[in-house]
Amino acid sequence: MRYPFSEIEFKWQKNWEEQQVSKTNLTETSNKLYCLVMFIYPSGAKLHIGHWYNYGPTDSWARYKKLKGFNVFEPIGYDAFGLPAENYAIKTGIHPYDSTMTNIKDIREQLKQMGCMYDWNAELMTCVPEYYRWNQWLFLQLYKKGLAYRKNAPVNWCPNDKTVLANEQVQADGTCERCGSLVIQKNLTQWFFKITDYAEELLKGLDQINWPEKTRLMQRNWIGKSIGTEVKFKVENSSDEITVFTTRPDTLFGVTYVVLAPEHPLVAKLTKPEFKNGVDKYIDSVKSLSEIERTSTIKEKTGVPIGANAINPVNGQKVPIWIADYALLTYGTGCVMAVPAHDERDFEFATKFNLPIKKVILKSGTKPEEIPAEAYTEDGIMINSGEFNGLKSSAGIEKVSDYIEKNKLGTRKVNYRLRDWLISRQRYWGTPIPIIHCPSCGEVPVDEKDLPVELPYNVEFNPGGESPLTTNKEFINVKCPKCGADAKRDPDTMDTFVDSSWYYFRYLNPKVDGKMFDTSLTDNWVPVDMYVGGAEHATMHLLYARFIHKFLRDLGYTKSDEPFSTLVHQGTITNQGAKMSKSKGNVVNPNDFTLKLGSDVFRLYLMFMGPYELGGDWSDKGIAGTERFVLRTYEIFKRFPDILLKANSKEKFNIPELNSEEKIVYRKTNQTIQKFDEEINNFRFNTAIASLMEFINELLKNIDKCSDEMKAYALRRFGTLLAPVAPHLAEECLEIIGSKESIFGKPVWFAPDTEALIEDKVNLAVQVNGKLRATIGMPNNSDQSYVKEIVFADEKIVKYIEGKTIVKEIFVKNKIYNLVVK
RNA sequence: GCCGAAGUGGCGGAAUUGGUAGACGCGCUGGACUCAAAAUCCAGUGGGGCUCACACCUCGUGCCGGUUCGAGUCCGGCCUUCGGUACCA
């Protein structure tokens, strides 16, 4: 290959490092731009196509912003704790610390070869005590506010990874987000962060951030706000009450039975002796089902009556109490009022068990006495509802709720689907939870001055269901800080999503000692202006980080409400339709291309493949195209060495004075500046690069007939536009034509000459009855009367309108002339 | 089931507010260079028709309908693929 990429890339990477062009002056904040990619998980797989696809184009965007005059901060780091390193240790015996450090070393080298302008002074990794002690500190702050707490609850357990998982880490099909094994339910005592306290704010904040609509919607659905009313039902011959939650108080008169979740504490108390046998049997049968089986919507609903009756507070009607697995203990009150006529699930259940169906909402166009074939869940007019008859549903919801509250039968309530974040993990390679369990004092938080609780090196990795930390006696056995008695440390570690919930603060000064992060810097630099990463984090990392950010704000550590002002998701690159993964054996190694073609060619190709947000299936078929583009670019610059020094530099040309080739080149140069800027600014890299290809095509055709001034003008601009997307190549090209220093050391960008954007000739489409019949060249901005004359003289058009009546003429300047004829 | 995104040549993909569909690139075909090949350069390239040829005609953006002088773009109804979600009362 005639383009010596390896020398050129080495040369400029060295130059950038020596000149420190990627080091950000953090004290200059008036034009600050914090551009961040999701940090990298240092697994044995090293850098793969997905990383390149995330980092390369984002770096191009950041470089573009830098050339435009922004003070860009672009850091990178390592999400270094986590399961895969530990699983690797179990398999190979290599300690997670050792494998992680080796991987980081390799990955750092690979990242440098990409040629991104990362500020290496800001590099961080989460697996060192200087970092993770602040996870522990954060935990203690949450604990103090009651937002970190321990409870026994049914939780998700991954039998393969031998740890519990948060709700967000279980996929729709009930499998583990990390390893794909089927997750089971266990009752365990675990640590939770009370993210639900922030549910409303997390929901509202979505309106103020510039995120993809899709992602905001996913978070909205995940938070799942629902507005309704809790209603108390008295139990016949009992002092107990059953509280149900409903979003449809207007259907309260239609209740024909009440359902409790099988695990509900009232079940044992309320079950009549003669029903006990059936109820116990039923509860057993429910327990034996997996979560997926149980919550499957396809499965037929099951349930049994418990023999007791509830009393409908609005009409005094006695209705039977059932238990059924479609009532979930974890949502609302765990009790449901069943209105079969107006709820699909209740309808299905009532039909199966022959329970009465009572219509209380009239669908318009139907009669009250008609027997419904299915539940009617929309709005209608209330019937069979006493004093509320005749009200519309929407009004009924309010009126019935008013009535309930006035008569102390219940209260309005907002429920969220969001559950608290389960953060303990029965694994080794993570942040130890800073709690000591004392037989007499209970759970005792580690004193802040005793942080970090260091993760010991020596443990047994595969203790079979127990946390590995229990195998290190020195670690686990401590004295209670309160009473001095023998006590034990909490053996669990934190979910690694805790690490990633605040790392963007730490980047500004990862070496800062004595505090989580340096607020003198973060106050000016956070929020992150541009955050780029995969959409798969929509309801995990991106939700957790927003929560922790708001918590830190409430403690006074940041002034901003949101961590990431603008978010962009790169698409996923698949291979033969499947996600790339080691287990599937379809991972494409970027080195195969970078070693052969250079990093600029590879970066250009990734950007040129298609829309960034879409990703797509991997194919190297078109890479020859970007390779040729790079070659042609390099060669055209080589033809004009030092042209910048030889020619008088001009910033603007007078178009009428130019010859026809110069006109073409001048126009194309400025049109490309305009187009490229617009496209790359919006992450449309594919069309940005296409515009550069068009540009060089015109240059190659016309440059020999241009003056030296025009050559210098066009080539300088071409090199500049090229710089964000092919940084090494562009630096070299600019140097060839006489540039003396790195463009990134001294940023330059050009504004287009607006006069050059206008073509003096345009092709106008002439249509007859909407069909294209001719295209006619016209001076730019010709008016209708002028165009009309030419159109009506055109023989092709005359052919179509001869002998016909012209009904209408439509003229759009510079675009079309449409004749409607009969 | 529900929510969201997407369906355009042989392929990846372009097309402001509705205004010449197929930019740019791959591939392919022909030509130049070469002993030959690769590389490179030049020309052509949506389907069909017609012509010696230039031209011209016609059909074409998942399917069916609609609005409009004009629809890839707007509206209604489907189909397919991919994400998210899963009885949330």
Side-chain angles (χ1 to χ4, degrees), chain A residues 44-242:
Chain A
K46 311 278 162 23
L47 279 197
H48 56 71
I49 297 259
H51 295 123
W52 259 93
Y53 194 64
N54 185 184
Y55 302 161
T58 303
D59 176 65
S60 287
W61 187 85
R63 284 179 182 272
Y64 153 75
K65 286 292 178 186
K66 178 154 187 157
L67 294 185
K68 282 214 105 174
F70 287 91
N71 187 28
V72 178
F73 178 53
E74 194 189 10
I76 190 81
Y78 312 94
D79 188 10
F81 270 142
L83 270 174
E86 192 171 342
N87 289 341
Y88 182 72
I90 292 166
K91 224 164 72 190
T92 63
I94 299 170
H95 194 280
Y97 180 86
D98 301 331
S99 63
T100 300
M101 287 305 166
T102 311
N103 289 338
I104 285 176
K105 215 173 127 242
D106 294 347
I107 287 167
R108 184 185 291 122
E109 280 319 299
Q110 283 189 301
L111 285 169
K112 287 190 171 174
Q113 279 161 20
M114 285 182 72
C116 295
M117 52 170 207
Y118 296 126
D119 187 339
W120 291 99
N121 304 288
E123 189 190 31
L124 63 74
M125 59 184 80
T126 57
C127 63
V128 292
E130 302 84 71
Y131 187 90
Y132 68 70
R133 70 175 291 170
W134 301 106
N135 283 339
Q136 295 169 339
W137 181 84
L138 174 68
F139 182 103
L140 294 177
Q141 307 315 307
L142 286 157
Y143 186 82
K144 268 193 240 168
K145 300 272 179 197
L147 297 174
Y149 67 97
R150 218 156 76 113
K151 72 171 175 192
N152 184 276
V155 296
N156 308 299
W157 172 266
C158 173
N160 181 53
D161 289 335
K162 296 193 175 64
T163 182
V164 296
L165 299 170
N167 269 354
E168 289 80 8
Q169 289 153 36
V170 180
Q171 296 177 102
D173 59 354
T175 57
C176 169
E177 179 257 331
R178 278 240 105 106
C179 71
S181 323
L182 212 53
V183 169
I184 60 167
Q185 297 293 300
K186 272 193 175 184
N187 270 304
L188 291 168
T189 301
Q190 299 289 326
W191 285 101
F192 291 83
F193 284 173
K194 209 168 178 189
I195 190 171
T196 51
D197 263 23
Y198 284 81
E200 186 61 32
E201 219 205 316
L202 287 167
L203 189 64
K204 283 216 179 98
L206 292 170
D207 298 330
Q208 335 159 355
I209 46 184
N210 182 21
W211 283 23
E213 190 46 48
K214 182 180 97 172
T215 310
R216 291 191 290 174
L217 190 67
M218 273 166 70
Q219 290 208 352
R220 267 186 211 113
N221 291 340
W222 190 261
I223 293 165
K225 181 179 185 176
S226 86
I227 298 164
T229 302
E230 282 186 357
V231 184
K232 288 184 275 189
F233 281 62
K234 289 210 160 61
V235 178
E236 191 187 25
N237 302 323
S238 161
S239 59
D240 287 305
E241 283 183 331
I242 292 172

Side-chain angles (χ1 to χ4, degrees), chain A residues 325-378:
Chain A
D325 60 357
Y326 80 92
L328 307 174
L329 185 65
T330 45
Y331 183 77
T333 60
C335 312
V336 183
M337 63 178 221
V339 186
H342 306 293
D343 182 282
E344 280 163 32
R345 295 153 300 178
D346 299 341
F347 185 89
E348 189 194 325
F349 194 82
T351 309
K352 183 175 172 188
F353 294 104
N354 272 319
L355 290 157
I357 297 168
K358 183 185 170 195
K359 245 165 95 168
V360 291
I361 302 292
L362 189 64
K363 181 182 179 178
S364 74
T366 66
K367 294 200 181 76
E369 57 278 9
E370 278 174 44
I371 295 161
E374 57 181 9
Y376 178 67
T377 58
E378 311 282 303

Side-chain angles (χ1 to χ4, degrees), chain A residues 305-573:
Chain A
I306 65 167
N309 289 311
I311 294 156
N312 188 331
V314 288
N315 59 10
Q317 201 173 22
K318 265 198 310 191
V319 293
I321 302 170
W322 284 60
I323 57 172
D325 60 357
Y326 80 92
L328 307 174
L329 185 65
T330 45
Y331 183 77
T333 60
C335 312
V336 183
M337 63 178 221
V339 186
H342 306 293
D343 182 282
E344 280 163 32
R345 295 153 300 178
D346 299 341
F347 185 89
E348 189 194 325
F349 194 82
T351 309
K352 183 175 172 188
F353 294 104
N354 272 319
L355 290 157
I357 297 168
K358 183 185 170 195
K359 245 165 95 168
V360 291
I361 302 292
L362 189 64
K363 181 182 179 178
S364 74
T366 66
K367 294 200 181 76
E369 57 278 9
E370 278 174 44
I371 295 161
E374 57 181 9
Y376 178 67
T377 58
E378 311 282 303
D379 284 7
I381 303 296
M382 291 175 71
I383 54 170
N384 298 323
S385 300
E387 60 182 282
F388 301 100
N389 282 342
L391 286 174
K392 287 212 299 209
S393 302
S394 50
I397 288 171
E398 297 312 317
K399 294 276 193 238
V400 174
S401 298
D402 288 345
Y403 176 88
I404 301 260
E405 289 192 325
K406 208 170 75 198
N407 294 286
K408 306 250 184 310
L409 304 171
T411 168
R412 283 181 165 88
K413 179 88 198 280
V414 174
N415 266 320
Y416 298 90
R417 208 191 73 117
L418 183 71
R419 308 290 157 81
D420 280 339
W421 174 16
L422 195 172
I423 60 103
S424 24
R425 297 289 179 273
Q426 287 69 50
R427 299 297 302 228
Y428 164 70
W429 193 231
T431 306
I433 290 172
I435 292 286
I436 291 163
H437 300 282
C438 168
S440 45
C441 307
E443 61 190 39
V444 182
V446 173
D447 201 303
E448 279 178 31
K449 71 174 176 5
D450 295 331
L451 295 183
V453 177
E454 276 202 48
L455 185 70
Y457 188 87
N458 291 318
V459 295
E460 186 68 49
F461 292 121
N462 204 4
E466 283 244 290
S467 299
L469 285 176
T470 53
T471 64
N472 184 309
K473 299 297 169 217
E474 269 171 57
F475 173 83
I476 209 79
N477 295 319
V478 286
K479 299 290 178 202
C480 171
K482 258 193 194 162
C483 70
D486 284 345
K488 286 193 189 303
R489 288 193 189 279
D490 197 290
D492 289 352
T493 54
M494 293 183 212
D495 183 0
T496 52
F497 281 120
V498 177
D499 314 5
S500 53
S501 290
W502 58 276
Y503 75 116
Y504 53 92
F505 282 111
R506 184 83 186 174
Y507 269 137
L508 274 314
N509 181 358
K511 288 159 201 114
V512 71
D513 200 22
K515 46 188 167 182
M516 194 175 193
F517 47 84
D518 188 345
T519 49
S520 72
L521 294 168
T522 57
D523 280 351
N524 292 320
W525 282 85
V526 172
V528 171
D529 299 284
M530 175 58 76
Y531 195 35
V532 185
E536 66 274 15
H537 287 107
T539 54
M540 293 191 278
H541 160 58
L542 289 168
L543 189 63
Y544 299 143
R546 293 183 60 224
F547 158 52
I548 295 299
H549 190 95
K550 287 170 192 299
F551 173 70
L552 288 169
R553 177 209 55 197
D554 289 347
L555 293 185
Y557 290 97
T558 183
K559 292 172 185 126
S560 50
D561 292 323
E562 291 284 340
F564 316 118
S565 307
T566 301
L567 174 72
V568 169
H569 295 305
Q570 83 277 16
T572 313
I573 303 293

Side-chain angles (χ1 to χ4, degrees), chain A residues 21 37 42 49-50 52 60 62 117 252 277 294 334 398 409 481 512 570 591 605 686 721 788:
Chain A
V21 298
V37 291
I49 297 259
W52 259 93
S60 287
M117 52 170 207
L252 192 49
N277 210 357
R294 186 173 156 186
E398 297 312 317
L409 304 171
V512 71
Q570 83 277 16
N591 281 355
Y605 180 60
N686 54 334
L721 296 183
K788 184 172 179 169

